Amino acid sequence: MPYVITNLCVDCKDTSCVEVCPVDCFYEGNNRLVIAPDECIDCGVCEPECPAGAILPDYGIPADQLDSIEYNRTYAQQWTNITRRKEALPKCQKLWE
Ligand code: SF4
Ligand code: F3S
């Protein structure tokens, strides 16, 4: 039952989530992150950190975003591990300023 990043992260990439993860299982693409499902220990501490509400447990994903589960699994194997917060993309900077 890993946590999953939905497409609410797209073009936001706030990256607050990566700082709190005890097992560093976030992976970075150009416009979003994903969580490696086989590394996530289901601690749940990242969920409230995301200002976009993009992080959910896999059993709580809305029906129209269930493809996020496979998306996270696929791209966690291809993208680069990220463990330090960085500047959010412009869409999120506007939303939260
Ligand atoms: Fe990391 Fe815990 Fe979030 Fe999984 S639930 S990605 S282990 S902070
Ligand atoms: Fe994305 Fe939220 Fe993390 S926007 S980068 S899942 S804090």
Side-chain angles (χ1 to χ4, degrees), residues 1 6 8 12-14 22 34 44 47-48 51 57 61-63 69 77 79 85 92:
M1 290 194 309
T6 68
L8 290 174
C12 180
K13 211 158 84 164
D14 180 82
V34 293
E47 183 178 1
I61 306 285
I69 295 172
Q77 294 167 24
W79 291 349
R85 191 166 189 207
C92 257

Side-chain angles (χ1 to χ4, degrees), residues 1-3 21 23 25 35-43:
M1 290 194 309
Y3 279 65
C21 181
V23 295
C25 63
I35 291 170
D38 296 334
E39 298 171 25
C40 174
I41 58 170
D42 308 324
C43 70

Side-chain angles (χ1 to χ4, degrees), residues 2-55:
Y3 279 65
V4 174
I5 302 184
T6 68
N7 62 17
L8 290 174
C9 180
V10 173
D11 293 335
C12 180
K13 211 158 84 164
D14 180 82
T15 67
S16 301
C17 52
V18 306
E19 291 276 343
V20 299
C21 181
V23 295
D24 293 339
C25 63
F26 286 87
Y27 291 80
E28 181 183 20
N30 286 335
N31 66 350
R32 67 175 289 166
L33 302 192
V34 293
I35 291 170
D38 296 334
E39 298 171 25
C40 174
I41 58 170
D42 308 324
C43 70
V45 300
C46 57
E47 183 178 1
E49 293 299 319
C50 178
I55 304 177

